[in-house]
Structures are given as structure tokens and as C-alpha cells.
């Protein structure tokens, strides 16, 4: 079996490069994976029932719950989340609200644990832009074109938590010792 952890590339595209496309499945773990109980399991058109069941059994064995979705660019999570992040970034860029207020609206009005911009900072803004570009390529839908605000932050090296700043500011990661 081949279980890809891609977050946007269609699983069937990956399966087409193998001699056993029936044994290819997507396992999209959410960030941070150790803290998330559920995994988006992507069944491509050629994924066999056995492969799907073995994947669900494995996830259960490691304490996760698989949620099965059909294959498509970005699956469910990133197909929706990336549009939300991109638009939330534009709201900040246009001055409608600052990042903290955007996140607060999502938390307090919709009950989200974190807002879309803190989520984007956790993922990495560079990864968000890359994911949007994959979705744009795969769908041809211009809604997935990364907005000006996201591009400017990434161009400035503001990737989110991993760089110490993105939409919000974080403690800088500790430098690793050279060996």
C-alpha cells in the first residue's frame, strides 16, 4: 500500500504513476498531527475496498479516526480552508479588520478553536501559497490564485510560526546546534 500525506495533489494522479493504483490512498493528517484525533482519508476512484479498510484499521490502531472523502484537488479540508485563508488575508490587507480580530470573529461567532489566520501561521504561509498554487493548477479556478497579502508576507520571509511572524508574532524557534 501507498498512503500519501499530500494535502492537495489528487490521489488518483499519484496512483496513475504506480502499477497498483488500487493500493494507493490519501491520509491527510491535520497539523499538529499528534493533537488531532481525526484524519481525512481520501479514496481515489481506483482505491480498493481492502486498501481503504486496512488504512482505517491502521488509523484506529494508532488512536485516530478516519473520515473518508472522495478524491479531488485539496479534498475537503484544503479545498475550503485555502479559500477561507486567502480571503481572510485579503480582509486584513484591505484594512477591514486586523488579523487578531479576524481570528476572534471565527472563534467567538463560529466556535472555531483558532481562526483562519492563526491556522495559516501554524501551517506555514509558504505552504498555504504552495497549496493554493496546486489547487489553481488542478482546477483552473482563479479563486485559488494567492492574494496580494499572502504573497507579500511570504516574499518578506514571514511564514508564520516557523519564522517567528506571519499574521501574528511568535517566539523565534531555538537555533539548532551545528554538528
Amino acid at each position: 500500500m501507498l498512503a500519501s500525506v499530500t494535502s492537495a495533489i489528487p490521489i488518483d494522479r499519484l496512483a496513475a504513476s504506480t502499477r497498483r493504483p488500487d493500493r494507493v490512498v490519501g491520509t491527510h493528517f491535520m497539523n499538529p498531527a499528534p493533537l488531532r484525533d481525526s484524519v481525512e482519508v481520501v479514496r481515489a476512484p481506483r482505491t480498493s475496498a481492502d486498501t481503504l479498510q486496512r488504512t482505517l484499521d491502521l488509523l484506529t490502531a494508532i488512536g485516530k479516526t478516519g473520515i473518508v472523502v472522495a478524491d479531488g484537488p485539496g479534498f475537503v479540508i484544503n479545498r475550503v480552508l485555502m479559500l477561507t485563508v486567502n480571503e481572510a488575508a485579503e480582509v486584513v490587507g484591505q484594512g477591514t479588520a486586523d488579523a487578531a480580530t479576524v481570528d476572534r470573529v471565527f472563534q467567538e461567532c463560529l466556535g472555531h478553536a483558532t481562526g483562519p489566520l492563526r491556522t495559516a501561521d501554524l501551517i506555514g504561509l509558504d505552504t498555504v501559497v504552495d497549496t493554493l498554487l496546486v489547487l489553481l493548477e488542478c482546477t483552473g479556478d482563479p479563486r485559488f490564485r494567492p492574494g496580494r497579502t499572502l504573497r507579500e508576507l511570504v516574499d518578506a520571509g514571514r511564514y508564520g510560526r516557523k519564522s517567528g511572524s506571519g499574521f501574528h508574532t511568535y517566539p523565534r524557534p531555538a537555533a539548532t546546534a551545528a554538528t
Side-chain angles (χ1 to χ4, degrees):
M1 284 179 34
L2 172 65
S4 173
V5 295
T6 180
S7 61
I9 300 167
I11 299 304
D12 202 46
R13 178 186 283 187
L14 301 174
S17 297
T18 73
R19 286 181 275 172
R20 297 300 306 266
D22 60 309
R23 292 188 178 192
V24 181
V25 66
T27 51
H28 183 201
F29 287 79
M30 301 303 123
N31 196 357
L35 302 180
R36 300 291 180 246
D37 293 331
S38 296
V39 175
E40 187 177 33
V41 177
V42 185
R43 184 177 191 175
R46 296 180 279 182
T47 302
S48 72
D50 180 61
T51 296
L52 182 63
Q53 189 57 57
R54 290 176 68 190
T55 301
L56 294 170
D57 292 345
L58 173 65
L59 291 172
T60 299
I62 63 170
K64 304 286 184 189
T65 300
I67 302 172
V68 180
V69 302
D71 194 16
F75 324 125
V76 173
I77 291 286
N78 281 338
R79 185 75 180 255
V80 175
L81 178 61
M82 292 303 129
L83 288 172
T84 302
V85 168
N86 204 22
E87 198 59 30
E90 289 308 294
V91 165
V92 170
Q94 293 170 358
T96 304
D98 63 16
T101 302
V102 169
D103 285 338
R104 183 176 174 208
V105 167
F106 274 79
Q107 290 174 281
E108 294 181 19
C109 295
L110 297 177
H112 292 201
T114 60
L117 302 177
R118 278 205 191 279
T119 300
D121 278 352
L122 178 64
I123 294 167
L125 303 184
D126 53 335
T127 302
V128 169
V129 168
D130 288 345
T131 302
L132 283 163
L133 291 171
V134 168
L135 291 167
L136 177 63
E137 174 202 332
C138 290
T139 67
D141 188 335
R143 296 179 302 157
F144 292 108
R145 190 173 322 285
R148 187 188 92 246
T149 303
L150 271 174
R151 286 183 282 112
E152 287 176 355
L153 286 169
V154 170
D155 289 347
R158 293 179 57 189
Y159 304 136
R161 292 185 68 90
K162 62 185 167 188
S163 69
S165 70
F167 287 101
H168 302 280
T169 303
Y170 306 91
R172 298 254 336 148
T176 58
T179 55

